[in-house]
Amino acid sequence: MEDIRPSQDSPAFDFDSGALCLDFANTTPERPGCANDMLTGYEQLVSWGLQSGTLAGDEAERLVHAARRGPTAATRAFRSALALREAVYHIFSAHAAGVDLPDDDLNLLNQAVGDAMCHLRVGGDATGFHWRWSNDRDSLERVVWPVARSAGDLLVSEDLQWVRECASSTCSWLFLDTSRSRRRKWCDMSTCGNREKARRHYRRARAAAD
């Protein structure tokens, strides 16, 4: 089977948001329009699952080969994954902004949660009992089952109050604010934070010069 480790076509994704569903929402750096999207096809979606740890290597390879055997179904699964991603973004962005959650997006998420939970099983080993996903390893929707569950879990958890959206004017990434003060503004201080401070400094200097 083909090796699908990250390559030029499979970027190294970011997993620093604090929640799997937010990591998935953050696979595009800009909105609206999702310019420079890091997910450009089904195989990149599988690579995200592999990098996130929600897919094992053998599962990822099986999904890639299943997608190549059925490209139409793979395209459909990929578009469904992108729709889920945008629903997750809209829901948590709205909550972070203190506005009403969009009904259509919540309905889409509930559908995805219901589909995912049908595949959740209890398994046991020497260390005890654990949740695991069913053996429907060729199901092309397998990649997003953990995403849907993560979004549902976060929405009903106490951590929901700490969901933030990056304050940068050019970034829409979501994150859990785990800072001591709970006043974090940026998804990453070293990138968005510094860039935004530089922009403000430039505007102040320009205004003073004028």
Side-chain angles (χ1 to χ4, degrees):
M1 289 187 179
E2 183 178 346
D3 187 348
I4 60 164
R5 289 177 297 178
S7 65
Q8 290 183 346
D9 293 329
S10 298
F13 296 97
D14 188 283
F15 297 97
D16 293 329
S17 74
L20 182 72
C21 60
L22 304 185
D23 289 334
F24 190 61
N26 292 347
T27 53
T28 181
E30 299 177 5
R31 286 180 174 92
C34 298
N36 302 317
D37 201 326
M38 288 181 278
L39 294 179
T40 57
Y42 187 80
E43 292 189 26
Q44 283 71 39
L45 178 65
V46 172
S47 183
W48 181 88
L50 187 62
Q51 291 181 50
S52 72
T54 58
L55 288 179
D58 61 332
E59 291 178 303
E61 291 187 10
R62 255 192 297 272
L63 288 175
V64 166
H65 284 268
R68 291 179 180 177
R69 289 194 303 269
T72 300
T75 298
R76 186 166 54 247
F78 176 66
R79 290 175 178 170
S80 177
L82 293 188
L84 174 61
R85 181 185 68 178
E86 295 311 297
V88 168
Y89 167 73
H90 292 149
I91 289 167
F92 288 103
S93 175
H95 179 80
V99 300
D100 291 340
L101 302 187
D103 288 339
D104 288 347
D105 293 302
L106 194 56
N107 290 339
L108 191 154
L109 174 61
N110 272 319
Q111 181 64 53
V113 170
D115 292 344
M117 298 303 279
C118 289
H119 301 276
L120 199 58
R121 304 288 185 269
V122 174
D125 56 29
T127 64
F129 292 95
H130 313 277
W131 288 111
R132 63 176 179 80
W133 297 106
S134 66
N135 290 325
D136 303 333
R137 295 185 177 182
D138 288 344
S139 175
L140 295 170
E141 291 74 26
R142 164 70 177 86
V143 187
V144 298
W145 295 344
V147 174
R149 183 187 176 191
S150 170
D153 285 343
L154 182 55
L155 279 173
V156 300
S157 76
E158 294 182 357
D159 287 337
L160 178 62
Q161 62 186 312
W162 308 124
V163 173
R164 306 280 188 262
E165 184 166 355
C166 186
S168 171
S169 58
T170 58
C171 180
S172 61
W173 278 17
L174 301 164
F175 60 91
L176 284 180
D177 182 4
T178 57
S179 65
R180 182 174 297 180
S181 66
R182 304 289 189 178
R183 298 177 65 183
R184 178 179 160 195
K185 293 183 177 181
W186 324 106
C187 64
D188 189 330
M189 185 61 209
S190 64
T191 54
C192 287
N194 284 339
R195 282 199 297 266
E196 196 66 19
K197 286 186 175 182
R199 290 189 189 97
R200 290 178 182 176
H201 175 76
Y202 174 78
R203 287 195 292 266
R204 287 194 298 267
R206 185 69 179 268
D210 292 342

